[in-house]
Amino acid sequence: MPAAPEMSEPHPAITTPARRGLRWWPAVLILVGTLVAVAVIRLRDDLPFQQRNINTAQTSFVAFALLLLWWTLLSRAPKRLRLGMTAGVLALIVLVVALFRIRGVSGDLVPILEPRWAKRVLPAPQSNASPASAFQGFNNSMQTDFPQSLGPDRTGVLPGPKLATDWSSSPPKILWRQKIGGAWSGFSIAGGRAFTQEQRGEDECVTCYELATGRLLWSHADKTRYATTIAGEGPRATPTVVGGRLFTLGATGFLNCLDAATGKGVWSRNLATDAHAKIPEWGLVGSPLLVDDRVIVSAGGSANKSLLAYRADDGQFAWSGGSGEANYGSPFVATLAGVRQILVFNTLVITSHDAATGAVLWEHRWTSANPSAAVPVVVDGTRVVFSSGYGFGSDLLEIRRKPNGKLAATRVWHSTRMKSKFAHIFARDGFLYGLDDGIFACVDLKDGSLRWKEGRYGHGQGLLVGELYLLMAESGELVLLRPTPDAPQELARFRVFNAKTWNPIALSGDLLLVRNDQEAACLRLPLAK
């Protein structure tokens, strides 16, 4: 019989290791942890709103970095896919940085982007303008001067005109609108002319426009430039016009006296040199104050050179006083406890100076080192309110004469219910009104308690006109309100700009001048019949 075929041993099965799925748990842990952290940050009322935004951004950045590391190193995705997506994300970041730049931040410290190729086309001075005749004004029987920041007495409170409240049937009319150089200065108005400051390339300029048409009549330039990513570029102070002369303070310390009709220089000083002071982080901001033919400015120098006064006619040094480091408020003149004095919001201290000599009359410690720019609000003959943002709040101070004859400030109350970063606040009928870290609020002057708080308008600027409040919101919308102790009573809105608007507004009769760091416009407001 033939032999049976030999049976071969079966070969062991050849198997390929199964690919493990994506390792999701680190990503889930990162996302859940981030959501919890952000929720905790947003719910912390003890933190200023701006600080919450910063902490949220920092947490989000850390979470993004951790997710990118997880995907690249720990996700178990195919190598080509992992490296390709990581390279794509990094390339996208590089592309965004190459195409866009940060053009400052919002009032709540949110970055604002603009294309790197964006350019400004600014109006040129009119060669055929007649400066002398133009300064006589134009045919407007309602015209009134608005000679400095926040109006004739720097309070932001005007008696009129009586504004119409129905903007649906009769909205404001834009008379002119045009590009303008970067700055946070406002307008001052006199003789049918509007004066402001702006950055034009490497020149810090004082500019004069015809109020009715927006024609640029003249420009005075200093070869200096202030600019930072967060603060933006250009000067910050609003010009002051008195008796045909214009007084301006630039961000780097140039104090100029100009002929308001022609723009020609009369005299000039440099505060950084005169006071031996450093320029603050956000530039010099305080608008010049005219008192008794003296130009008074906050320079922030030590050794009795914090507040400086110059003779208005020739710029010669008159007096100096105090040693507080400059902050961002403008000098303010008030009569408290029967004494006329100049109040200055310095860094970490409020200082009162004798209006005639500059001698320090009293000081009050301010425990917040954050920027403070809101003007003080005089409540009556002995009481005044100071306020600052970034979560700090307001103090009501009472000024009394001590037995030894010297003045002293006593804090009546401190309230975190009114935190004005730089916007105008005002007192009326026993209540304080203004933007509390960007939200309109009303506080009882008896104890600083909150009556109401509603309407997020951002960090804009406003004026009380009669019983109505004109508010230019940070978004560029003009808002009309009739605030009472019971409610803000928003009446109307009108869109003017589509960009961040921080600059103070100015009113001459029924003409409202508004601007930001990119555009300026003149509006004719409807009046009540």
Side-chain angles (χ1 to χ4, degrees), residues 39 79 105 122 139 141 156 185 214 260 269 276 304 315 325 333 347 418 473 511:
K79 183 177 181 180
V105 297
L122 302 177
N139 186 20
S141 60
S185 304
R269 304 293 297 239
H276 305 289
N304 207 41
E325 183 179 337
V333 63
T347 299
M418 183 60 73
L511 299 185

Side-chain angles (χ1 to χ4, degrees), residues 39-60:
V40 170
I41 291 169
R42 304 314 299 182
L43 293 173
R44 284 193 60 182
D45 289 336
D46 60 312
L47 284 180
F49 192 76
Q50 295 88 351
Q51 188 62 50
R52 279 179 269 174
N53 286 341
I54 292 174
N55 291 352
T56 299
Q58 292 171 335
T59 302
S60 301

Side-chain angles (χ1 to χ4, degrees), residues 77-417:
K79 183 177 181 180
R80 182 175 297 178
L81 180 62
R82 283 186 289 117
L83 297 182
M85 287 190 66
T86 299
V89 169
L90 295 177
L92 180 61
I93 293 173
V94 171
L95 180 64
V96 170
V97 172
L99 295 179
F100 296 92
R101 60 186 172 224
I102 297 178
R103 192 185 59 80
V105 297
S106 73
D108 291 325
L109 303 184
V110 177
I112 298 172
L113 301 180
E114 73 171 2
R116 290 188 179 274
W117 61 86
K119 293 183 179 180
R120 300 181 185 181
V121 179
L122 302 177
Q126 302 294 311
S127 59
N128 61 345
S130 176
S133 61
F135 193 63
Q136 300 306 312
F138 61 97
N139 186 20
N140 179 0
S141 60
M142 292 201 58
Q143 178 191 344
T144 56
D145 285 348
F146 194 96
Q148 59 183 331
S149 179
L150 295 177
D153 56 6
R154 292 199 175 198
T155 63
V157 177
L158 307 176
K162 191 173 182 180
L163 302 176
T165 58
D166 183 5
W167 287 3
S168 298
S169 59
S170 182
K173 179 182 179 181
I174 297 180
L175 299 184
W176 55 263
R177 176 176 173 174
Q178 62 195 28
K179 297 292 185 182
I180 196 168
W184 300 121
S185 304
F187 281 102
S188 55
I189 303 170
R193 290 185 159 200
F195 308 93
T196 191
Q197 298 191 90
E198 46 190 294
Q199 192 72 43
R200 291 172 169 248
E202 296 305 310
D203 291 334
E204 184 180 75
C205 297
V206 181
T207 48
C208 172
Y209 293 86
E210 190 172 54
L211 176 60
T213 66
R215 289 193 309 156
L216 177 59
L217 300 177
W218 57 254
S219 176
H220 171 91
D222 287 308
K223 213 59 162 173
T224 185
R225 182 173 183 267
Y226 172 87
T228 68
T229 299
I230 293 180
E233 69 169 354
R236 277 92 173 92
T238 298
T240 299
V241 55
V242 176
R245 287 191 174 183
L246 191 69
F247 302 91
T248 65
L249 178 61
T252 62
F254 281 99
L255 176 65
N256 289 323
C257 173
L258 309 176
D259 184 284
T262 64
K264 292 181 179 179
V266 178
W267 55 261
S268 181
R269 304 293 297 239
N270 189 301
L271 297 195
T273 300
D274 287 356
H276 305 289
K278 66 177 183 179
I279 303 301
E281 182 182 3
W282 290 63
L284 285 169
V285 175
S287 298
L289 174 68
L290 268 289
V291 176
D292 298 336
D293 296 325
R294 299 289 185 264
V295 185
I296 300 169
V297 286
S298 176
S302 58
N304 207 41
K305 289 188 176 181
S306 176
L307 190 70
L308 303 182
Y310 300 91
R311 294 195 328 210
D313 58 347
D314 58 11
Q316 293 301 307
F317 177 79
W319 52 253
S320 65
S323 300
E325 183 179 337
N327 209 301
Y328 303 99
S330 298
F332 184 84
V333 63
T335 298
L336 297 167
V339 178
R340 192 173 62 146
Q341 50 201 275
I342 297 167
L343 307 177
V344 185
F345 213 148
N346 296 307
T347 299
L348 293 176
V349 63
I350 295 166
T351 307
S352 167
H353 298 259
D354 183 275
T357 67
V360 174
L361 299 177
W362 57 265
E363 289 189 321
H364 173 72
R365 297 297 299 173
W366 197 261
T367 55
S368 171
N370 287 312
S372 301
V375 297
V377 178
V378 175
V379 177
D380 54 35
T382 60
R383 297 184 301 161
V384 59
V385 174
F386 289 85
S387 183
S388 67
Y390 298 96
F392 187 74
S394 300
D395 280 0
L396 174 65
L397 304 182
E398 185 173 46
I399 313 304
R400 295 290 187 185
R401 193 177 293 277
K402 298 190 296 185
N404 62 6
K406 295 184 177 180
L407 296 180
T410 302
R411 188 167 74 179
V412 179
W413 52 251
H414 172 79
S415 174
T416 59
R417 296 301 190 174

